[in-house]
Amino acid sequence: MTAVTELTRRPTATGTPARFRDLLAAEWIKLWSLRSTRWTLPLVFLFVVGVSVNASLADHRNWPTYPEGRREMFRLYGPVRDAFPEAGYLLLILASATLGALTVVGEYQSGLIRATFAAVPARRAVVVAKAAVLAGVMLVLGTVTAATSFWVSQAILADRDAGWSIGEPGVLRAVVASAVLVPVCALVGMGLGALTRHAAGAVATATSVLVLAPMVVDSDEQRWIAELYNALPLTAWLRLIEVHPDVINPDPFPATVAGSWLVLAGWSVAATLTAVTVVHRRDP
């Protein structure tokens, strides 16, 4: 009887804990198994670059009609607006946040999350690996998109002697900030997906925070409102791509370059910690 008891208590199989690189490999497979990943990334890239090319060609075509004062003003602000068009980047922000939300929500809705945690009980490690893979992939997308948009747009404008070079002060910062914005928004979407566990709710919340809030908040009235406005990811990105200070409509409470970098880093860390905490504490 004792032997039988000992036999039943003995595990039928033994295994070593999953290594973090194994978790990274698993999350890589999960991410690319989503059809949205395979279709969204190239389409968004083409859309953003296409909007940039269209804006640059329009300025190139209309350049002979611009008076000298407008040309001088364009050389201060136009190249960055053609390289990183707001319409294209708003779509890029929403697509990144949506994909980030789906990496979590998709597992909960399909039930795959239960199998994942049954195989790897260390939930925190799983979420950190998911965040690392998501951030890495989206950083590549952001880098390729920002670099391509900048290079193509400035090549078009160079024919009018209106483009910028990457070596000019502040220009490299604008390219890097445009690349970094993409993984930041993806991590925000992941954090919201972990909170809501619902795709529509996560996307709606991400849209409100990342896109609508900067358009609604009026930063010219009071300092505390301006500080709230400057603490949003979109606002931080707009400040970082501002190569020349705004002399036309100066902001009474302008954001700083260092503060804007901290905003992007803070949102990334906060979103990742939120996802780690929520997934660890709540049942699948």
Side-chain angles (χ1 to χ4, degrees), residues 14-142:
T14 59
T16 58
R19 295 169 298 182
F20 189 71
R21 66 181 182 182
D22 297 328
L23 298 181
L24 292 174
E27 294 302 328
W28 173 270
I29 294 172
K30 290 179 189 177
L31 179 62
W32 289 105
S33 66
L34 294 171
R35 285 180 296 179
S36 56
T37 303
R38 299 193 299 269
W39 286 99
T40 301
L41 300 190
L43 289 178
V44 169
F45 166 78
L46 291 175
F47 178 82
V48 175
V49 174
V51 173
S52 177
V53 169
N54 182 67
S56 303
L57 288 175
D59 283 318
H60 181 277
R61 181 174 58 254
N62 297 326
W63 187 261
T65 66
Y66 291 167
E68 188 59 32
R70 182 171 181 179
R71 291 185 181 185
E72 291 299 323
M73 194 62 64
F74 180 87
R75 290 188 176 96
L76 293 177
Y77 303 106
V80 72
R81 293 172 181 171
D82 285 352
F84 313 115
E86 190 169 335
Y89 268 80
L90 288 179
L91 176 65
L92 184 57
I93 288 171
L94 293 178
S96 302
T98 301
L99 183 60
L102 290 178
T103 59
V104 177
V105 174
E107 283 201 64
Y108 277 104
Q109 292 183 343
S110 65
L112 179 61
I113 197 72
R114 296 185 181 89
T116 298
F117 291 152
V120 185
R123 298 185 180 186
R124 293 189 183 96
V126 171
V127 179
V128 170
K130 186 184 296 292
V133 171
L134 176 66
V137 170
M138 300 310 286
L139 180 59
V140 172
L141 172 65

Side-chain angles (χ1 to χ4, degrees), residues 109-228:
Q109 292 183 343
S110 65
L112 179 61
I113 197 72
R114 296 185 181 89
T116 298
F117 291 152
V120 185
R123 298 185 180 186
R124 293 189 183 96
V126 171
V127 179
V128 170
K130 186 184 296 292
V133 171
L134 176 66
V137 170
M138 300 310 286
L139 180 59
V140 172
L141 172 65
T143 302
V144 173
T145 302
T148 304
S149 296
F150 177 81
W151 179 77
V152 173
S153 63
Q154 303 315 301
I156 295 172
L157 295 174
D159 186 50
R160 300 295 191 184
D161 193 26
W164 289 345
S165 69
I166 195 68
E168 294 183 34
V171 174
L172 179 60
R173 183 191 69 215
V175 177
V176 173
S178 300
V180 170
L181 178 68
V182 180
V184 171
C185 295
L187 291 174
V188 171
M190 186 189 76
L192 293 173
L195 278 173
T196 63
R197 297 189 181 182
H198 192 274
V203 172
T205 306
T207 302
S208 300
V209 173
L210 298 174
V211 176
L212 298 181
M215 299 179 179
V216 173
V217 176
D218 186 355
S219 61
D220 294 336
E221 296 295 330
Q222 298 180 4
R223 175 172 289 276
W224 72 270
I225 298 179
E227 295 296 338
L228 178 63

